Amino acid sequence: MNVALLTAAGKGTRMRQDIPKQFMHINDKPLIIYTLEAFQNHPNIDAILVVCLDGWHEVLRAYANQFNITKLKWIVSGGESGQDSIHNGLMKLKEEISEDDIVLIHDGNRALVSSEIISDSIAQCKIHGGAVSVIPCTEAVLKSDNGETSNTSIPRNDLFRTQTPHTFPLKKLLWAHEEAKKRGITNSVATCTLMVELGETIYFSKGSEKNMKITTVEDIDLFKSLLNSEKEAWLK
């Protein structure tokens, strides 16, 4: 069984809007629904859990019914941090599915995740026991201690930008969160960083520049452009 765990408990303060960004309407559809549809339409996804802001559970359920998201099985509240929110979702899944089942943890505001990315994440997890979606870094990267100047560059060939899904068997994720509690790791920024802090090796799966995280108003403009774009027929 493959279950998508979508994180949508952020308040979206960087967006500076009146409602959380995951519920903002783009072309008459809430942003979170685009993400839900990607997993709803994937044949290898069996169920979906969403970690959601308190007070928005019924709104999410109503939108899911409106847009026929039948795989949405569970909605749970978020925590004080992203790590806490994911833990809340995992605790619910522990009650509902087998520990050998695969869980794809995905940012609810990465609404353009493709079928290929989801498929490769599952495939690499089955091969290696875990997978993190990444893309190579194509920009020159400078290290700064003050945010204003730099005299140090980092070779970009050694760098990869992580995206989501972060995909692992449920038992591996439960172990990681329990181990983090023992070691006093309380606010790791993502599942991939938590695994690294615990000494685990990360295996890569396919990512895409289109699999962007929508965080700012400018990102909304990019999202709308990508939503309506089509690949030129002559491109390989």
Side-chain angles (χ1 to χ4, degrees), residues 148-180:
E148 297 179 358
T149 62
S150 175
N151 57 13
T152 306
S153 66
I154 302 173
R156 65 185 180 186
N157 290 343
D158 297 337
L159 300 177
F160 290 83
R161 293 157 52 200
T162 64
Q163 303 182 328
T164 58
H166 297 169
T167 302
F168 296 89
L170 176 60
K171 62 185 175 184
K172 181 74 171 183
L173 292 165
L174 292 171
W175 166 83
H177 280 260
E178 183 61 30
E179 192 67 18

PDB file of all heavy atoms in Angstrom, residues 148-180:
ATOM      1  N   GLU A 148      25.727  39.420   3.388  1.00  0.00           N
ATOM      2  CA  GLU A 148      26.011  40.596   2.558  1.00  0.00           C
ATOM      3  C   GLU A 148      27.224  40.413   1.648  1.00  0.00           C
ATOM      4  O   GLU A 148      27.283  40.985   0.559  1.00  0.00           O
ATOM      5  CB  GLU A 148      26.237  41.822   3.453  1.00  0.00           C
ATOM      6  CG  GLU A 148      25.009  42.211   4.265  1.00  0.00           C
ATOM      7  CD  GLU A 148      25.275  43.406   5.163  1.00  0.00           C
ATOM      8  OE1 GLU A 148      26.417  43.898   5.175  1.00  0.00           O
ATOM      9  OE2 GLU A 148      24.328  43.843   5.848  1.00  0.00           O
ATOM     10  N   THR A 149      28.197  39.631   2.088  1.00  0.00           N
ATOM     11  CA  THR A 149      29.420  39.443   1.311  1.00  0.00           C
ATOM     12  C   THR A 149      29.841  37.983   1.339  1.00  0.00           C
ATOM     13  O   THR A 149      29.369  37.188   2.176  1.00  0.00           O
ATOM     14  CB  THR A 149      30.583  40.288   1.870  1.00  0.00           C
ATOM     15  OG1 THR A 149      30.859  39.851   3.214  1.00  0.00           O
ATOM     16  CG2 THR A 149      30.234  41.771   1.873  1.00  0.00           C
ATOM     17  N   SER A 150      30.747  37.621   0.406  1.00  0.00           N
ATOM     18  CA  SER A 150      31.252  36.259   0.367  1.00  0.00           C
ATOM     19  C   SER A 150      32.645  36.241  -0.244  1.00  0.00           C
ATOM     20  O   SER A 150      32.959  37.057  -1.119  1.00  0.00           O
ATOM     21  CB  SER A 150      30.330  35.353  -0.450  1.00  0.00           C
ATOM     22  OG  SER A 150      30.888  34.057  -0.587  1.00  0.00           O
ATOM     23  N   ASN A 151      33.447  35.297   0.203  1.00  0.00           N
ATOM     24  CA  ASN A 151      34.717  35.011  -0.457  1.00  0.00           C
ATOM     25  C   ASN A 151      34.896  33.505  -0.637  1.00  0.00           C
ATOM     26  O   ASN A 151      36.000  33.014  -0.819  1.00  0.00           O
ATOM     27  CB  ASN A 151      35.909  35.603   0.316  1.00  0.00           C
ATOM     28  CG  ASN A 151      35.971  35.099   1.749  1.00  0.00           C
ATOM     29  OD1 ASN A 151      35.289  34.142   2.116  1.00  0.00           O
ATOM     30  ND2 ASN A 151      36.805  35.748   2.559  1.00  0.00           N
ATOM     31  N   THR A 152      33.757  32.775  -0.570  1.00  0.00           N
ATOM     32  CA  THR A 152      33.801  31.322  -0.667  1.00  0.00           C
ATOM     33  C   THR A 152      32.730  30.826  -1.638  1.00  0.00           C
ATOM     34  O   THR A 152      31.551  31.158  -1.486  1.00  0.00           O
ATOM     35  CB  THR A 152      33.554  30.670   0.705  1.00  0.00           C
ATOM     36  OG1 THR A 152      34.476  31.198   1.652  1.00  0.00           O
ATOM     37  CG2 THR A 152      33.698  29.158   0.618  1.00  0.00           C
ATOM     38  N   SER A 153      33.138  30.063  -2.632  1.00  0.00           N
ATOM     39  CA  SER A 153      32.182  29.419  -3.533  1.00  0.00           C
ATOM     40  C   SER A 153      32.146  27.929  -3.243  1.00  0.00           C
ATOM     41  O   SER A 153      33.136  27.340  -2.805  1.00  0.00           O
ATOM     42  CB  SER A 153      32.552  29.667  -4.996  1.00  0.00           C
ATOM     43  OG  SER A 153      33.777  29.037  -5.309  1.00  0.00           O
ATOM     44  N   ILE A 154      30.988  27.324  -3.491  1.00  0.00           N
ATOM     45  CA  ILE A 154      30.802  25.889  -3.286  1.00  0.00           C
ATOM     46  C   ILE A 154      30.583  25.249  -4.648  1.00  0.00           C
ATOM     47  O   ILE A 154      29.693  25.693  -5.398  1.00  0.00           O
ATOM     48  CB  ILE A 154      29.602  25.614  -2.364  1.00  0.00           C
ATOM     49  CG1 ILE A 154      29.794  26.321  -1.016  1.00  0.00           C
ATOM     50  CG2 ILE A 154      29.405  24.127  -2.154  1.00  0.00           C
ATOM     51  CD1 ILE A 154      28.592  26.236  -0.104  1.00  0.00           C
ATOM     52  N   PRO A 155      31.357  24.236  -5.037  1.00  0.00           N
ATOM     53  CA  PRO A 155      31.189  23.610  -6.353  1.00  0.00           C
ATOM     54  C   PRO A 155      29.765  23.107  -6.553  1.00  0.00           C
ATOM     55  O   PRO A 155      29.272  22.286  -5.775  1.00  0.00           O
ATOM     56  CB  PRO A 155      32.204  22.457  -6.323  1.00  0.00           C
ATOM     57  CG  PRO A 155      33.216  22.859  -5.311  1.00  0.00           C
ATOM     58  CD  PRO A 155      32.459  23.626  -4.265  1.00  0.00           C
ATOM     59  N   ARG A 156      29.122  23.604  -7.585  1.00  0.00           N
ATOM     60  CA  ARG A 156      27.710  23.253  -7.772  1.00  0.00           C
ATOM     61  C   ARG A 156      27.508  21.788  -8.151  1.00  0.00           C
ATOM     62  O   ARG A 156      26.421  21.229  -7.933  1.00  0.00           O
ATOM     63  CB  ARG A 156      27.083  24.163  -8.827  1.00  0.00           C
ATOM     64  CG  ARG A 156      27.656  24.014 -10.224  1.00  0.00           C
ATOM     65  CD  ARG A 156      27.060  25.040 -11.156  1.00  0.00           C
ATOM     66  NE  ARG A 156      27.605  24.922 -12.504  1.00  0.00           N
ATOM     67  CZ  ARG A 156      27.342  25.775 -13.491  1.00  0.00           C
ATOM     68  NH1 ARG A 156      26.547  26.810 -13.262  1.00  0.00           N
ATOM     69  NH2 ARG A 156      27.850  25.597 -14.690  1.00  0.00           N
ATOM     70  N   ASN A 157      28.537  21.151  -8.720  1.00  0.00           N
ATOM     71  CA  ASN A 157      28.412  19.740  -9.082  1.00  0.00           C
ATOM     72  C   ASN A 157      28.214  18.850  -7.860  1.00  0.00           C
ATOM     73  O   ASN A 157      27.751  17.710  -7.976  1.00  0.00           O
ATOM     74  CB  ASN A 157      29.640  19.274  -9.861  1.00  0.00           C
ATOM     75  CG  ASN A 157      29.718  19.879 -11.246  1.00  0.00           C
ATOM     76  OD1 ASN A 157      28.728  20.399 -11.755  1.00  0.00           O
ATOM     77  ND2 ASN A 157      30.891  19.826 -11.859  1.00  0.00           N
ATOM     78  N   ASP A 158      28.579  19.371  -6.690  1.00  0.00           N
ATOM     79  CA  ASP A 158      28.431  18.607  -5.457  1.00  0.00           C
ATOM     80  C   ASP A 158      27.091  18.860  -4.769  1.00  0.00           C
ATOM     81  O   ASP A 158      26.821  18.254  -3.719  1.00  0.00           O
ATOM     82  CB  ASP A 158      29.551  18.972  -4.471  1.00  0.00           C
ATOM     83  CG  ASP A 158      30.930  18.618  -4.993  1.00  0.00           C
ATOM     84  OD1 ASP A 158      31.020  17.739  -5.873  1.00  0.00           O
ATOM     85  OD2 ASP A 158      31.913  19.219  -4.532  1.00  0.00           O
ATOM     86  N   LEU A 159      26.277  19.738  -5.334  1.00  0.00           N
ATOM     87  CA  LEU A 159      25.061  20.176  -4.653  1.00  0.00           C
ATOM     88  C   LEU A 159      23.801  19.703  -5.368  1.00  0.00           C
ATOM     89  O   LEU A 159      23.718  19.727  -6.602  1.00  0.00           O
ATOM     90  CB  LEU A 159      25.043  21.694  -4.555  1.00  0.00           C
ATOM     91  CG  LEU A 159      26.198  22.341  -3.779  1.00  0.00           C
ATOM     92  CD1 LEU A 159      26.076  23.853  -3.833  1.00  0.00           C
ATOM     93  CD2 LEU A 159      26.218  21.849  -2.333  1.00  0.00           C
ATOM     94  N   PHE A 160      22.811  19.318  -4.571  1.00  0.00           N
ATOM     95  CA  PHE A 160      21.500  18.941  -5.093  1.00  0.00           C
ATOM     96  C   PHE A 160      20.434  19.618  -4.241  1.00  0.00           C
ATOM     97  O   PHE A 160      20.542  19.672  -3.015  1.00  0.00           O
ATOM     98  CB  PHE A 160      21.314  17.422  -5.061  1.00  0.00           C
ATOM     99  CG  PHE A 160      22.179  16.702  -6.049  1.00  0.00           C
ATOM    100  CD1 PHE A 160      23.497  16.411  -5.743  1.00  0.00           C
ATOM    101  CD2 PHE A 160      21.690  16.353  -7.295  1.00  0.00           C
ATOM    102  CE1 PHE A 160      24.317  15.770  -6.663  1.00  0.00           C
ATOM    103  CE2 PHE A 160      22.492  15.708  -8.211  1.00  0.00           C
ATOM    104  CZ  PHE A 160      23.808  15.413  -7.902  1.00  0.00           C
ATOM    105  N   ARG A 161      19.422  20.143  -4.910  1.00  0.00           N
ATOM    106  CA  ARG A 161      18.314  20.809  -4.227  1.00  0.00           C
ATOM    107  C   ARG A 161      17.208  19.795  -3.974  1.00  0.00           C
ATOM    108  O   ARG A 161      16.730  19.142  -4.899  1.00  0.00           O
ATOM    109  CB  ARG A 161      17.801  21.963  -5.084  1.00  0.00           C
ATOM    110  CG  ARG A 161      18.798  23.102  -5.231  1.00  0.00           C
ATOM    111  CD  ARG A 161      18.542  23.927  -6.476  1.00  0.00           C
ATOM    112  NE  ARG A 161      17.154  24.367  -6.570  1.00  0.00           N
ATOM    113  CZ  ARG A 161      16.589  24.764  -7.702  1.00  0.00           C
ATOM    114  NH1 ARG A 161      17.274  24.779  -8.835  1.00  0.00           N
ATOM    115  NH2 ARG A 161      15.334  25.148  -7.710  1.00  0.00           N
ATOM    116  N   THR A 162      16.832  19.673  -2.717  1.00  0.00           N
ATOM    117  CA  THR A 162      15.797  18.694  -2.390  1.00  0.00           C
ATOM    118  C   THR A 162      14.405  19.263  -2.633  1.00  0.00           C
ATOM    119  O   THR A 162      14.165  20.463  -2.483  1.00  0.00           O
ATOM    120  CB  THR A 162      15.900  18.231  -0.929  1.00  0.00           C
ATOM    121  OG1 THR A 162      15.663  19.340  -0.063  1.00  0.00           O
ATOM    122  CG2 THR A 162      17.275  17.637  -0.648  1.00  0.00           C
ATOM    123  N   GLN A 163      13.523  18.381  -3.033  1.00  0.00           N
ATOM    124  CA  GLN A 163      12.106  18.689  -3.176  1.00  0.00           C
ATOM    125  C   GLN A 163      11.344  17.655  -2.346  1.00  0.00           C
ATOM    126  O   GLN A 163      11.889  17.077  -1.411  1.00  0.00           O
ATOM    127  CB  GLN A 163      11.713  18.628  -4.658  1.00  0.00           C
ATOM    128  CG  GLN A 163      12.512  19.557  -5.560  1.00  0.00           C
ATOM    129  CD  GLN A 163      12.073  19.499  -7.011  1.00  0.00           C
ATOM    130  OE1 GLN A 163      11.640  18.461  -7.520  1.00  0.00           O
ATOM    131  NE2 GLN A 163      12.187  20.632  -7.697  1.00  0.00           N
ATOM    132  N   THR A 164      10.104  17.444  -2.644  1.00  0.00           N
ATOM    133  CA  THR A 164       9.357  16.304  -2.124  1.00  0.00           C
ATOM    134  C   THR A 164       8.681  15.641  -3.322  1.00  0.00           C
ATOM    135  O   THR A 164       8.502  16.289  -4.350  1.00  0.00           O
ATOM    136  CB  THR A 164       8.298  16.731  -1.080  1.00  0.00           C
ATOM    137  OG1 THR A 164       7.388  17.664  -1.661  1.00  0.00           O
ATOM    138  CG2 THR A 164       8.949  17.354   0.137  1.00  0.00           C
ATOM    139  N   PRO A 165       8.345  14.352  -3.221  1.00  0.00           N
ATOM    140  CA  PRO A 165       8.167  13.529  -2.030  1.00  0.00           C
ATOM    141  C   PRO A 165       9.476  13.079  -1.376  1.00  0.00           C
ATOM    142  O   PRO A 165      10.489  12.950  -2.026  1.00  0.00           O
ATOM    143  CB  PRO A 165       7.405  12.305  -2.557  1.00  0.00           C
ATOM    144  CG  PRO A 165       6.918  12.649  -3.916  1.00  0.00           C
ATOM    145  CD  PRO A 165       7.867  13.654  -4.440  1.00  0.00           C
ATOM    146  N   HIS A 166       9.353  12.837  -0.058  1.00  0.00           N
ATOM    147  CA  HIS A 166      10.327  12.076   0.717  1.00  0.00           C
ATOM    148  C   HIS A 166       9.625  10.770   1.066  1.00  0.00           C
ATOM    149  O   HIS A 166       8.621  10.784   1.783  1.00  0.00           O
ATOM    150  CB  HIS A 166      10.713  12.819   1.993  1.00  0.00           C
ATOM    151  CG  HIS A 166      11.387  14.131   1.736  1.00  0.00           C
ATOM    152  ND1 HIS A 166      11.617  15.052   2.731  1.00  0.00           N
ATOM    153  CD2 HIS A 166      11.886  14.686   0.606  1.00  0.00           C
ATOM    154  CE1 HIS A 166      12.234  16.110   2.219  1.00  0.00           C
ATOM    155  NE2 HIS A 166      12.392  15.916   0.924  1.00  0.00           N
ATOM    156  N   THR A 167      10.142   9.671   0.560  1.00  0.00           N
ATOM    157  CA  THR A 167       9.380   8.422   0.573  1.00  0.00           C
ATOM    158  C   THR A 167      10.130   7.326   1.320  1.00  0.00           C
ATOM    159  O   THR A 167      11.280   7.004   0.991  1.00  0.00           O
ATOM    160  CB  THR A 167       9.086   7.986  -0.876  1.00  0.00           C
ATOM    161  OG1 THR A 167       8.362   9.032  -1.524  1.00  0.00           O
ATOM    162  CG2 THR A 167       8.263   6.715  -0.913  1.00  0.00           C
ATOM    163  N   PHE A 168       9.453   6.744   2.320  1.00  0.00           N
ATOM    164  CA  PHE A 168      10.049   5.701   3.159  1.00  0.00           C
ATOM    165  C   PHE A 168       8.938   4.757   3.635  1.00  0.00           C
ATOM    166  O   PHE A 168       7.767   5.154   3.705  1.00  0.00           O
ATOM    167  CB  PHE A 168      10.720   6.308   4.393  1.00  0.00           C
ATOM    168  CG  PHE A 168      11.886   7.198   4.105  1.00  0.00           C
ATOM    169  CD1 PHE A 168      11.699   8.563   3.879  1.00  0.00           C
ATOM    170  CD2 PHE A 168      13.175   6.694   4.046  1.00  0.00           C
ATOM    171  CE1 PHE A 168      12.770   9.400   3.604  1.00  0.00           C
ATOM    172  CE2 PHE A 168      14.252   7.526   3.765  1.00  0.00           C
ATOM    173  CZ  PHE A 168      14.053   8.869   3.546  1.00  0.00           C
ATOM    174  N   PRO A 169       9.304   3.531   3.997  1.00  0.00           N
ATOM    175  CA  PRO A 169       8.327   2.687   4.687  1.00  0.00           C
ATOM    176  C   PRO A 169       7.910   3.346   6.000  1.00  0.00           C
ATOM    177  O   PRO A 169       8.717   4.026   6.649  1.00  0.00           O
ATOM    178  CB  PRO A 169       9.100   1.383   4.946  1.00  0.00           C
ATOM    179  CG  PRO A 169      10.229   1.389   3.958  1.00  0.00           C
ATOM    180  CD  PRO A 169      10.586   2.840   3.770  1.00  0.00           C
ATOM    181  N   LEU A 170       6.675   3.129   6.394  1.00  0.00           N
ATOM    182  CA  LEU A 170       6.179   3.753   7.626  1.00  0.00           C
ATOM    183  C   LEU A 170       7.059   3.402   8.817  1.00  0.00           C
ATOM    184  O   LEU A 170       7.351   4.262   9.657  1.00  0.00           O
ATOM    185  CB  LEU A 170       4.730   3.309   7.886  1.00  0.00           C
ATOM    186  CG  LEU A 170       4.109   3.811   9.190  1.00  0.00           C
ATOM    187  CD1 LEU A 170       4.074   5.328   9.246  1.00  0.00           C
ATOM    188  CD2 LEU A 170       2.712   3.227   9.384  1.00  0.00           C
ATOM    189  N   LYS A 171       7.514   2.155   8.909  1.00  0.00           N
ATOM    190  CA  LYS A 171       8.321   1.765  10.067  1.00  0.00           C
ATOM    191  C   LYS A 171       9.627   2.549  10.144  1.00  0.00           C
ATOM    192  O   LYS A 171      10.107   2.848  11.247  1.00  0.00           O
ATOM    193  CB  LYS A 171       8.582   0.260  10.058  1.00  0.00           C
ATOM    194  CG  LYS A 171       9.354  -0.262   8.866  1.00  0.00           C
ATOM    195  CD  LYS A 171       9.454  -1.786   8.913  1.00  0.00           C
ATOM    196  CE  LYS A 171      10.114  -2.345   7.670  1.00  0.00           C
ATOM    197  NZ  LYS A 171      10.119  -3.835   7.679  1.00  0.00           N
ATOM    198  N   LYS A 172      10.199   2.903   9.004  1.00  0.00           N
ATOM    199  CA  LYS A 172      11.435   3.690   8.994  1.00  0.00           C
ATOM    200  C   LYS A 172      11.172   5.102   9.498  1.00  0.00           C
ATOM    201  O   LYS A 172      11.961   5.674  10.260  1.00  0.00           O
ATOM    202  CB  LYS A 172      12.001   3.742   7.583  1.00  0.00           C
ATOM    203  CG  LYS A 172      13.311   4.518   7.446  1.00  0.00           C
ATOM    204  CD  LYS A 172      14.474   3.746   8.006  1.00  0.00           C
ATOM    205  CE  LYS A 172      15.794   4.408   7.684  1.00  0.00           C
ATOM    206  NZ  LYS A 172      16.951   3.637   8.147  1.00  0.00           N
ATOM    207  N   LEU A 173      10.057   5.681   9.095  1.00  0.00           N
ATOM    208  CA  LEU A 173       9.691   7.024   9.527  1.00  0.00           C
ATOM    209  C   LEU A 173       9.367   7.051  11.018  1.00  0.00           C
ATOM    210  O   LEU A 173       9.759   7.983  11.731  1.00  0.00           O
ATOM    211  CB  LEU A 173       8.505   7.529   8.713  1.00  0.00           C
ATOM    212  CG  LEU A 173       8.797   7.786   7.228  1.00  0.00           C
ATOM    213  CD1 LEU A 173       7.505   7.913   6.440  1.00  0.00           C
ATOM    214  CD2 LEU A 173       9.657   9.029   7.048  1.00  0.00           C
ATOM    215  N   LEU A 174       8.668   6.034  11.494  1.00  0.00           N
ATOM    216  CA  LEU A 174       8.360   5.966  12.924  1.00  0.00           C
ATOM    217  C   LEU A 174       9.649   5.838  13.737  1.00  0.00           C
ATOM    218  O   LEU A 174       9.798   6.483  14.785  1.00  0.00           O
ATOM    219  CB  LEU A 174       7.429   4.779  13.206  1.00  0.00           C
ATOM    220  CG  LEU A 174       6.014   4.892  12.638  1.00  0.00           C
ATOM    221  CD1 LEU A 174       5.274   3.570  12.805  1.00  0.00           C
ATOM    222  CD2 LEU A 174       5.234   6.023  13.297  1.00  0.00           C
ATOM    223  N   TRP A 175      10.573   5.010  13.254  1.00  0.00           N
ATOM    224  CA  TRP A 175      11.868   4.879  13.925  1.00  0.00           C
ATOM    225  C   TRP A 175      12.590   6.221  13.975  1.00  0.00           C
ATOM    226  O   TRP A 175      13.136   6.604  15.022  1.00  0.00           O
ATOM    227  CB  TRP A 175      12.739   3.859  13.187  1.00  0.00           C
ATOM    228  CG  TRP A 175      14.173   3.927  13.628  1.00  0.00           C
ATOM    229  CD1 TRP A 175      14.727   3.327  14.717  1.00  0.00           C
ATOM    230  CD2 TRP A 175      15.226   4.700  13.014  1.00  0.00           C
ATOM    231  NE1 TRP A 175      16.071   3.667  14.820  1.00  0.00           N
ATOM    232  CE2 TRP A 175      16.404   4.493  13.796  1.00  0.00           C
ATOM    233  CE3 TRP A 175      15.302   5.518  11.892  1.00  0.00           C
ATOM    234  CZ2 TRP A 175      17.619   5.097  13.469  1.00  0.00           C
ATOM    235  CZ3 TRP A 175      16.508   6.118  11.569  1.00  0.00           C
ATOM    236  CH2 TRP A 175      17.654   5.907  12.343  1.00  0.00           C
ATOM    237  N   ALA A 176      12.599   6.937  12.842  1.00  0.00           N
ATOM    238  CA  ALA A 176      13.327   8.213  12.772  1.00  0.00           C
ATOM    239  C   ALA A 176      12.779   9.220  13.768  1.00  0.00           C
ATOM    240  O   ALA A 176      13.545   9.918  14.452  1.00  0.00           O
ATOM    241  CB  ALA A 176      13.249   8.774  11.352  1.00  0.00           C
ATOM    242  N   HIS A 177      11.465   9.310  13.881  1.00  0.00           N
ATOM    243  CA  HIS A 177      10.882  10.288  14.794  1.00  0.00           C
ATOM    244  C   HIS A 177      11.078   9.880  16.255  1.00  0.00           C
ATOM    245  O   HIS A 177      11.276  10.744  17.120  1.00  0.00           O
ATOM    246  CB  HIS A 177       9.404  10.499  14.458  1.00  0.00           C
ATOM    247  CG  HIS A 177       9.199  11.415  13.295  1.00  0.00           C
ATOM    248  ND1 HIS A 177       8.858  12.737  13.434  1.00  0.00           N
ATOM    249  CD2 HIS A 177       9.319  11.206  11.952  1.00  0.00           C
ATOM    250  CE1 HIS A 177       8.771  13.306  12.243  1.00  0.00           C
ATOM    251  NE2 HIS A 177       9.043  12.398  11.324  1.00  0.00           N
ATOM    252  N   GLU A 178      11.057   8.593  16.539  1.00  0.00           N
ATOM    253  CA  GLU A 178      11.310   8.134  17.893  1.00  0.00           C
ATOM    254  C   GLU A 178      12.776   8.361  18.259  1.00  0.00           C
ATOM    255  O   GLU A 178      13.096   8.812  19.369  1.00  0.00           O
ATOM    256  CB  GLU A 178      10.962   6.648  18.019  1.00  0.00           C
ATOM    257  CG  GLU A 178      11.128   6.084  19.427  1.00  0.00           C
ATOM    258  CD  GLU A 178      10.251   6.765  20.458  1.00  0.00           C
ATOM    259  OE1 GLU A 178       9.148   7.235  20.095  1.00  0.00           O
ATOM    260  OE2 GLU A 178      10.667   6.830  21.637  1.00  0.00           O
ATOM    261  N   GLU A 179      13.676   8.085  17.321  1.00  0.00           N
ATOM    262  CA  GLU A 179      15.101   8.282  17.558  1.00  0.00           C
ATOM    263  C   GLU A 179      15.419   9.773  17.739  1.00  0.00           C
ATOM    264  O   GLU A 179      16.254  10.151  18.555  1.00  0.00           O
ATOM    265  CB  GLU A 179      15.903   7.689  16.400  1.00  0.00           C
ATOM    266  CG  GLU A 179      17.383   7.564  16.651  1.00  0.00           C
ATOM    267  CD  GLU A 179      17.752   6.564  17.721  1.00  0.00           C
ATOM    268  OE1 GLU A 179      16.906   5.695  18.057  1.00  0.00           O
ATOM    269  OE2 GLU A 179      18.880   6.651  18.246  1.00  0.00           O
ATOM    270  N   ALA A 180      14.748  10.612  16.932  1.00  0.00           N
ATOM    271  CA  ALA A 180      14.949  12.057  17.063  1.00  0.00           C
ATOM    272  C   ALA A 180      14.543  12.536  18.457  1.00  0.00           C
ATOM    273  O   ALA A 180      15.225  13.380  19.063  1.00  0.00           O
ATOM    274  CB  ALA A 180      14.143  12.788  15.997  1.00  0.00           C
TER     275      ALA A 180
END
